């Protein structure tokens, strides 16, 4: 069960029209491709995707699940939006646990032994079948995937305190004085009968926030259920903010960074656009960057991630930037430390973003979907451009 | 449902393609980086609203089958109709050589399939033609003109005239003369794409079988003069028929011209191909790529100039690739130099090797070879 209904409000202009899981990532992908591909690579063939906020693009993207081999006659991918129930009882999803609760009848249809709960906002590769093996071996009611984080940062996470057998005895949400550095990754495996029991009890409690981290996990711990921590090591990144999204995209530029997109044993699948190969012009200079089909590169591209159908005209310079599908950077423009959302346009001679100054007021610049930055205009660092910017006569 | 049915001829063996067609059918030769030749015929049909397509194959079609699969990448995996692959099932032509001697022989070989076609009209096309054809418009013209057969043709002259048919058109578009494989070309070059009714097609197949005429050019085109209303549909865009290695190299390199690409890859009529879920292409810190067409999934750390790279190609540090066509998963290791070479799938060129062909005779390295 993949929770994909969140708005991702900290991605600001990037999630105005799409849910966070549908935000483009890593040249060819959208964020949701990572958990979905992990499912398929782990041998999971029945996936529910719970949607709520701005679902149109996400629904269209997932479609019948064919790119992930999830177009199946038995199982496959199911989009699960909230719905009106008998006697007008239906509501929006109130929290992560409530979202699953509202789909109990979906789960009952399949009557599984175990249920894996995922969120659609993390970039990582993980074999859930190994986590399931751990869950079965420890005979746990719930297994939570954890990873070690630096002690200094532990207070930003949900922290699991475990005994010598990695059995969880305490869970602390963003503790001021953390006693362990095992952070929850928001990936849970539940034994289905237990999950069902606790979801029904949680729904009956009117004071509950209906959230896994805040309610379900503490309730299970209080009741003395066997709760096991599954240790994960490897690349894992939350891409919930502009900075972390930019960072994680930059990580895709070097396999040494811990994430190898080119690994044939763990492919990440995506719905691809039918575009011809990209073309590099006679004066193109592309270094330490990734470029996708349909692009036309005639200028200079350094340390950047270019999605499909991006044009960088002659004399334009793109540095440390992320250009989402259909972006056009006109002749002589400079784009640096910037994220340009789909079909954005940067006018000739414009200068968008700037290199880090070390100051407080510096940050990544964002140009929202379909926004045109006029020729010759100057867009400063950390700006969030959501409307067309008028050009200036040069 | 569109009233047009598609038949793609993909049975021909072509010795002039040397190593490229050694282990595959001409139609499954990689072209333009991420495509196979047959992608153009399939996409042209689908873009014209054709929902049922028969693909006639004979030998060495394993690679072609692997590529087209169920046809789902072209939206041709359907409950009714869709893509049907037609191997020579129960073919007992009069001639026992085992090969189809021509297109009429091939059509006779799939006769029961032809009888069951649900549409009233059929478009016959060739799987070795790279062009973005407006088949819907040609079909419209065919219906309005009342022609018996509409032949798609181009005023731009194509390769070897001895392997090509030519039409002379009058001002109204009617065919006034037909030249079959002439020594000297005259008129418009045939794109070997014809629209006709199902009834006429069956009639012609019967007639040719009865007279033992295996060739479409002989049995239909030449025999049609004075008996059938033959019209041309002139196509001005880019078209390339691939018939030899030199053709292949030259026609591939033409793709580096932006006008050729604009004619071949149109936003409204996309060319679709098998999806392989490749990541984007990565350029290393010292990479250089100029005037080249590069597919997804490549890792480029060396220099690539005037070249076309298929998916998953690797060019290591210090390696130099000029005027080359590198097919899927070719690996050019450090400091190797290649000029005017075509490397087939999975070729590996070891560090420091130097390989050079010439523009008129490019060096071809066969599939899976290690240099």
């Amino acid at each position: 069960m993949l929770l994909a209904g969140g708005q991702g409000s900290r991605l600001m202009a990037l999630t105005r029209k799409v849910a966070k899981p549908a935000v483009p990532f890593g040249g060819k992908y959208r964020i949701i491709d990572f958990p979905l591909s992990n499912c398929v690579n782990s041998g999971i063939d029945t996936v529910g995707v719970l949607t709520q906020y701005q679902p149109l693009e996400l629904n269209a993207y997932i479609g019948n699940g064919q790119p992930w081999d999830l177009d199946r006659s038995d199982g496959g991918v199911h989009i699960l939006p909230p719905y009106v129930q008998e006697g007008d009882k239906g509501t929006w999803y109130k929290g992560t646990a409530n979202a699953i609760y509202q789909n109990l009848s979906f789960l009952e249809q399949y009557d599984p032994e175990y249920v894996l709960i995922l969120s659609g906002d993390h970039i990582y590769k993980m074999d859930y079948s190994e986590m399931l093996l751990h869950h079965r071996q420890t005979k746990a009611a719930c297994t939570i995937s954890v990873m070690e984080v630096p002690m200094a940062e532990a207070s930003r996470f949900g922290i699991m305190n475990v005994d010598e057998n990695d059995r969880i005895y305490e869970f602390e949400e963003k503790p001021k004085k953390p006693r362990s550095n095992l952070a929850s990754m928001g990936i849970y495996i539940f034994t289905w009968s237990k999950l069902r029991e606790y979801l029904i009890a949680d729904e009956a409690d009117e004071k509950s926030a209906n959230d896994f981290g805040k309610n379900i996990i503490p309730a299970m711990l209080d009741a003395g259920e066997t709760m096991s921590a599954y240790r994960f090591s490897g690349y894992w990144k939350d891409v919930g903010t502009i900075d972390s999204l930019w960072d994680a995209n930059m990580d895709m530029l070097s396999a040494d960074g811990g994430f190898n997109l080119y690994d044939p044993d763990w492919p990440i699948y995506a719905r691809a656009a039918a575009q011809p190969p990209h073309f590099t012009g006679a004066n193109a200079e592309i270094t330490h960057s990734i470029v996708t089909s349909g692009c036309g590169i005639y200028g200079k591209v350094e340390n950047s991630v270019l999605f499909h159908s991006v044009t960088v005209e002659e004399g334009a310079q793109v540095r440390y930037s992320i250009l989402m599908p259909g972006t056009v950077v006109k002749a002589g423009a400079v784009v640096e430390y910037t994220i340009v959302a789909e079909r954005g346009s940067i006018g000739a001679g414009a200068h968008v973003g700037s290199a880090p100054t070390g100051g407080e007021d510096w940050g990544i610049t964002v140009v929202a979907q379909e926004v045109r930055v006029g020729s010759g205009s100057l867009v400063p660092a950390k700006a969030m451009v959501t409307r067309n910017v008028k050009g200036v006569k040069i | 449902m569109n009233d047009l049915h598609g038949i793609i001829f993909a049975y021909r063996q072509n010795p002039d393609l040397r190593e490229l067609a050694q282990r595959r059918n001409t139609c499954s030769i990689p072209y333009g980086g991420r495509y196979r030749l047959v992608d153009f015929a399939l996409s042209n049909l689908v873009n014209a609203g054709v929902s049922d397509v028969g693909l006639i194959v004979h030998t060495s079609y394993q690679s072609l089958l692997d590529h087209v699969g169920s046809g789902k990448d072209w939206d041709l995996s359907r409950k009714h109709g869709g893509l049907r692959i037609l191997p020579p099932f129960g073919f007992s032509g009069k001639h026992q050589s085992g090969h189809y001697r021509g297109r009429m022989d091939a059509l006779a070989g799939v006769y029961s399939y032809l009888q069951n076609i649900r549409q009233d009209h059929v478009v016959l096309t060739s799987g070795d033609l790279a062009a973005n054809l407006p088949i819907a418009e040609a079909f419209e013209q065919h219906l309005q003109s009342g022609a018996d057969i509409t032949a798609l043709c181009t005023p731009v002259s194509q390769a070897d005239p001895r392997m090509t048919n030519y039409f002379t058109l009058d001002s109204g578009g009617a065919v006034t003369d037909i030249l079959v494989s002439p020594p000297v070309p005259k008129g418009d070059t045939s794109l070997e794409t014809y629209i006709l009714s199902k009834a006429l097609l069956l009639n012609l197949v019967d007639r040719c079988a009865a007279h033992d005429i295996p060739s479409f050019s002989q049995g239909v085109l030449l025999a049609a003069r004075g008996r059938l209303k033959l019209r041309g549909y002139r196509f001005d865009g880019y078209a390339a028929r691939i018939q030899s290695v030199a053709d292949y190299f030259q026609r591939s390199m033409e793709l580096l011209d932006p006008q050729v690409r604009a004619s071949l890859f149109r936003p409204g009529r996309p060319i679709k191909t098998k999806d392989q879920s490749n990541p984007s292409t990565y350029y290393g810190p010292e990479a250089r790529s100029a005037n080249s067409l590069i597919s997804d999934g490549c890792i480029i750390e060396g220099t690539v100039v005037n070249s076309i790279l298929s998916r998953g190609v690797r060019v290591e540090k210090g390696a130099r690739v000029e005027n080359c066509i590198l097919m899927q998963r070719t690996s050019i290791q450090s400091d190797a130099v290649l000029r005017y070479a075509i490397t087939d799938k999975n070729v590996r060129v070891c560090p420091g090797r130097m390989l050079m062909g010439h523009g008129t005779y490019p060096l071809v390295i066969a599939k899976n070879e290690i240099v």
Side-chain angles (χ1 to χ4, degrees):
Chain A
M1 299 294 274
L2 212 164
L3 299 161
Q7 176 181 358
S9 53
R10 287 173 303 157
L11 286 176
M12 299 187 265
L14 296 178
T15 49
R16 273 196 317 176
K17 291 175 189 163
V18 296
K20 178 157 68 167
V23 168
F25 182 86
K28 197 94 182 231
Y29 311 98
R30 296 183 189 240
I31 295 168
I32 197 170
D33 287 326
F34 292 80
L36 265 186
S37 300
N38 285 341
C39 282
V40 175
N41 290 335
S42 304
I44 296 172
D45 59 20
T46 307
V47 181
V49 177
L50 296 98
T51 60
Q52 176 156 290
Y53 173 80
Q54 288 283 19
L56 295 183
E57 208 165 311
L58 189 58
N59 289 357
Y61 184 70
I62 291 172
N64 67 350
Q66 187 234 306
W68 305 271
D69 279 343
L70 286 172
D71 53 334
R72 301 175 62 102
S73 51
D74 185 15
V77 67
H78 302 259
I79 304 275
L80 303 170
Y83 54 94
V84 175
Q85 294 173 30
E86 198 195 350
D88 282 341
K89 269 192 289 192
T91 61
W92 293 110
Y93 293 148
K94 291 179 281 178
T96 50
N98 175 258
I100 306 294
Y101 173 82
Q102 290 202 34
N103 287 290
L104 281 182
S105 53
F106 168 77
L107 285 162
E108 277 159 4
Q109 256 179 43
Y110 286 100
D111 193 25
E113 287 284 312
Y114 308 101
V115 178
L116 169 70
I117 312 274
L118 300 168
S119 57
D121 43 12
H122 299 139
I123 303 299
Y124 63 107
K125 290 183 197 172
M126 182 169 171
D127 190 342
Y128 304 131
S129 67
E130 283 176 20
M131 181 172 168
L132 180 61
L133 193 67
H134 175 92
H135 179 80
R136 294 166 68 167
Q137 279 169 348
T138 53
K139 297 193 170 60
C142 171
T143 299
I144 301 173
S145 180
V146 296
M147 65 184 296
E148 292 182 23
V149 293
M151 209 62 193
E153 288 176 31
S155 55
R156 287 174 39 218
F157 294 91
I159 293 297
M160 301 291 162
N161 296 325
V162 300
D163 67 13
E164 67 279 8
N165 296 319
D166 280 350
R167 194 176 150 162
I168 302 165
Y169 63 87
E170 192 180 26
F171 170 73
E172 293 178 290
E173 183 70 37
K174 297 182 182 158
K176 286 210 176 75
K177 286 183 185 161
R179 277 177 287 157
S180 129
N181 66 342
L182 290 180
S184 165
M185 296 162 65
I187 302 165
Y188 312 105
I189 289 180
F190 289 93
T191 298
W192 163 227
S193 55
K194 294 283 181 191
L195 175 67
R196 194 169 180 280
E197 181 187 326
Y198 281 92
L199 283 176
I200 292 171
D202 178 67
E203 193 60 24
D205 177 2
E206 284 184 7
K207 278 178 263 166
S208 172
N210 306 117
D211 184 89
F212 276 101
K214 290 191 194 113
N215 309 102
I216 302 288
I217 305 300
M220 290 180 83
L221 279 169
D222 285 348
E225 297 286 356
T226 311
M227 308 282 278
S228 180
Y230 173 75
R231 286 171 189 260
F232 174 80
S233 59
Y235 188 91
W236 181 84
K237 204 151 218 165
D238 181 294
V239 286
T241 63
I242 297 287
D243 286 350
S244 63
L245 181 70
W246 182 86
D247 265 349
N249 268 289
M250 291 298 145
D251 288 341
M252 299 302 124
L253 294 180
S254 43
D256 323 333
F259 200 95
N260 181 7
L261 284 171
Y262 301 86
D263 176 7
D265 293 334
W266 202 267
I268 306 297
Y269 300 101
R271 189 178 287 279
Q275 290 291 334
H278 72 261
F279 180 71
T280 56
N283 301 317
E285 286 179 56
I286 311 169
T287 47
H288 198 53
S289 294
I290 58 180
V291 181
T292 312
S293 53
C295 287
I297 313 296
Y298 303 87
K300 196 170 173 181
V301 176
E302 285 173 69
N303 300 292
S304 294
V305 173
L306 273 56
F307 288 75
H308 76 81
S309 310
V310 168
T311 305
V312 178
E313 291 186 0
E314 196 114 8
Q317 296 182 43
V318 177
R319 291 189 282 267
Y320 295 95
S321 292
I322 296 156
L323 308 184
M324 291 184 182
T327 298
V328 177
V329 181
K330 298 263 170 71
V334 177
V335 178
E336 46 187 358
Y337 295 89
T338 295
I339 300 176
V340 183
E342 287 111 313
R343 299 173 297 281
S345 160
I346 311 297
H351 194 132
V352 180
S354 72
T357 53
E360 278 287 299
D361 52 347
W362 183 86
I364 299 294
T365 305
V366 176
V367 177
Q369 266 188 13
E370 286 169 20
V371 165
R372 304 163 75 90
V373 173
S375 51
S377 51
L378 198 69
V379 177
K382 215 175 178 175
M384 182 74 50
V385 189
T386 55
R387 282 186 204 171
N388 291 353
V389 178
K390 268 196 182 151
V392 269
K393 286 238 164 76
I394 323 166
Chain B
M1 191 178 72
N2 192 310
D3 205 21
L4 189 61
H5 186 101
I7 299 268
I8 301 174
F9 293 103
Y11 65 87
R12 237 159 54 96
Q13 291 294 101
N14 195 335
D16 290 338
L17 281 159
R18 305 193 332 236
E19 294 87 342
L20 296 178
Q22 218 170 47
R23 297 192 205 181
R24 61 165 83 86
N25 188 290
T26 314
C27 305
S28 62
I29 290 182
Y31 177 76
R34 69 194 292 257
Y35 304 98
R36 302 289 182 121
L37 280 174
V38 75
D39 293 342
F40 293 89
L42 283 169
S43 302
N44 286 338
L45 293 173
V46 169
N47 290 338
V50 174
S51 59
D52 295 6
V53 176
L55 184 65
I56 301 184
V57 296
H58 196 285
T59 42
S60 320
Y61 52 75
Q62 191 206 339
S63 128
L64 186 62
L65 293 198
D66 181 46
H67 181 71
V68 298
S70 66
K72 70 176 180 182
D73 288 303
W74 298 268
D75 288 340
L76 285 174
S77 175
R78 303 282 181 97
K79 198 161 264 179
H80 298 288
L83 179 71
R84 189 73 70 82
I85 292 161
L86 305 168
F89 174 73
F91 173 61
S92 55
K94 298 194 170 163
H95 195 75
Q96 294 295 330
S97 77
H99 281 290
Y100 291 144
R101 294 166 297 159
R103 281 174 285 184
M104 296 318 279
D105 229 11
L107 288 168
V110 298
Y111 194 75
S112 59
Y113 174 83
L114 300 181
Q115 282 179 308
N116 290 324
I117 285 176
R118 302 187 289 168
Q119 292 82 359
D120 289 334
H121 302 273
V122 179
V123 51
L124 306 175
T125 189
S126 172
D128 61 0
L129 175 72
N132 195 325
L133 299 175
I135 287 179
E137 283 170 37
F139 183 43
E140 185 72 32
Q141 185 202 293
H142 174 77
L143 293 178
Q144 277 173 5
S145 68
D148 292 314
I149 301 178
T150 296
L152 277 75
C153 52
T154 172
V156 186
S157 90
Q158 297 280 311
D160 190 354
R162 283 164 304 172
M163 297 171 75
T164 312
N165 297 328
Y166 295 86
F167 300 114
T168 308
L169 306 184
D170 69 14
S171 55
V175 174
T176 55
D177 195 16
I178 301 163
L179 303 182
V180 171
S181 311
V184 184
K186 186 183 134 221
D188 280 37
T189 306
S190 169
L191 292 169
E192 299 309 332
T193 300
Y194 302 93
I195 301 173
L196 69 173
S197 72
K198 175 191 168 187
L200 176 61
L201 178 69
L202 287 172
N203 188 303
L204 290 167
V205 174
D206 285 341
R207 202 179 152 274
C208 288
H211 293 85
D212 193 22
I213 309 173
S215 143
F216 183 85
S217 310
Q218 300 287 336
V220 176
L221 296 180
L222 291 180
R225 275 189 305 184
R227 296 198 314 117
L228 295 172
K229 242 176 102 184
L230 199 59
R231 295 181 68 89
Y233 176 92
R234 200 173 259 163
F235 171 67
D236 293 325
Y238 179 81
R241 279 193 79 197
I242 310 295
Q243 293 172 318
S244 67
V245 168
D247 257 9
Y248 176 77
F249 188 75
Q250 192 201 336
R251 302 324 294 265
S252 294
M253 287 305 171
E254 283 171 0
L255 293 172
L256 298 178
D257 176 347
Q259 279 179 336
V260 168
R261 287 202 308 280
S263 171
L264 213 44
F265 305 113
R266 294 161 179 270
R269 299 202 300 260
I271 303 300
K272 295 184 173 175
T273 185
K274 183 181 175 185
D275 176 40
Q276 293 185 330
S277 286
N278 291 96
S280 307
T281 280
Y282 170 72
Y283 287 94
E286 293 152 40
R288 169 118 181 84
S289 164
N291 195 37
S292 294
L293 209 49
I294 318 268
S295 305
D296 282 348
C298 297
I299 298 179
I300 299 172
E301 292 172 293
T303 300
V304 177
V305 183
N306 303 333
S307 295
I308 297 174
L309 273 57
S310 290
R311 294 181 273 199
V313 167
R314 224 184 141 149
V315 179
E316 292 185 3
K317 267 185 201 155
R320 203 173 163 79
V321 173
E322 285 174 32
N323 302 295
C324 288
I325 297 168
L326 310 183
M327 295 185 191
Q328 268 181 69
R329 290 189 296 279
T330 290
S331 172
I332 308 297
Q333 296 186 305
S334 54
D335 302 313
V337 178
L338 268 81
R339 291 197 179 102
Y340 295 101
I342 300 171
T343 61
D344 209 322
K345 266 175 87 171
N346 302 327
V347 161
R348 181 149 62 92
V349 178
C350 292
R353 300 288 184 273
M354 294 182 88
L355 298 169
M356 276 166 226
H358 187 270
T360 55
Y361 195 91
L363 181 70
V364 182
I365 303 163
K367 197 169 161 179
N368 301 331
E369 294 292 343
I370 296 173
V371 179

